[in-house]
Amino acid sequence: MALTEPNAPQNADPIKQGLQVGEDATQRQMRGDEKAAALLLALGPDFGRPILEELDEIEIRILSRAMVRLGAITQQMLDELLAEFIMGVSSTGPMSGNSDTTERLLLSFLPQDRVEQIMEEIRGPAGRNIWEKLSNVQEDILASYLKNEYPQTIAVVLTKLSPDHASRVLSVLPEELALDVVQRMLSIDPVQKEILEKIESTLRTEFMSTLSHTQRRDSHEQMADIFNAFDRQTEARFMTALEDLSRDSAERIKSLMFTFDDLTRLESAAIQTLLQNFDKKEMALALKGASDAAREFFFANMSTRAAGMMRDDMEAMGAVRLKDVDEAQSRLVNTAKDLAARGEIVINKGKADEEMIL
């Protein structure tokens, strides 16, 4: 395995250059995430890329941060790391991938609360943040939990859900409590960030984690994730066939999917935040295959100059492959989900027939 020295020539591989190995480095004990980062850097792009492609975005971010902080390592540290890796792989014997083994592996290099959050996302209902997850919890189960909370807390929770789901939860709460909650929702003030974070934390630790252990993930939610990953032609083909077999299942999957077209239901501020966090060339490619209504929606949330430049970029592209457009739109949707998970935007997927598209 060829490794790049600190004085490597400028035409050397930039990824391998990231792993600085030399005798002048300080010998130290590496954490689990640092070991993974060093190993991937040592493997280089040809062998490291297939591994990175199997990781989700959160894992990639963790490794990226570890790579940035890694600094120079000694040859002895690298030798010990490679030996540890080889011994670990060769001595494992038969392996089984499941929740327990995954959780134990994550605990070896991540804090427990971070691991619990990751495993909750894997086991729990669909959604990238706590409010999306709650929107996929059956109203009677959610109401059963909320009825033991303070009415003001219930009011805050329901204001964060879609109106459709909030109405169903209210309808199964005890009537006196439900009326109290309605009154509080009518006069509710903006909730302080600290209070909202405390509510989110309580819901995550006391409700969602318990629910994830007792409730099997709905098969329609799993299938919605699969359909989200399809290109549009494959999705249309499978959805048409499914509608012939079971229209109810098809409609349920559609309601759980979050697609490029759903972005047009975001508020103006959310769209502008999304535009600021997405590459302009990628955006032009994504809009190249969008409907006229979707294009105009995005253009309406840009300055006149920016919209004009975006149109010019799209025209300059000429003909593009549908596959490339689908991938760009998928990346845009995932960026929106990541922003929602960080609390920077709110995704509220309403019914299409209740929305207005300019």
Side-chain angles (χ1 to χ4, degrees), residues 174-186:
E175 187 170 350
E176 185 176 349
L177 175 60
L179 289 174
D180 189 359
V181 171
V182 168
Q183 288 181 311
R184 293 171 185 270
M185 290 175 70
L186 288 171

Side-chain angles (χ1 to χ4, degrees), residues 61 127-132 160 200 204 258 266 270 273-274 332-348:
R61 286 177 180 171
R128 298 297 288 265
N129 61 35
I130 188 65
W131 307 115
E132 287 184 60
K160 300 290 289 184
E200 290 179 1
R204 184 178 291 111
F258 184 78
L266 296 181
T273 300
L274 179 58
L332 183 61
V333 168
N334 288 334
T335 299
K337 289 180 178 178
D338 290 335
L339 290 169
R342 298 199 298 266
E344 296 182 32
I345 66 173
V346 174
I347 292 178
N348 185 11

Side-chain angles (χ1 to χ4, degrees), residues 116 120 203-214:
E116 288 176 355
E120 172 208 322
L203 288 168
R204 184 178 291 111
T205 56
E206 293 186 5
F207 178 59
M208 294 305 300
S209 60
T210 302
L211 180 66
S212 66
H213 290 290
T214 59

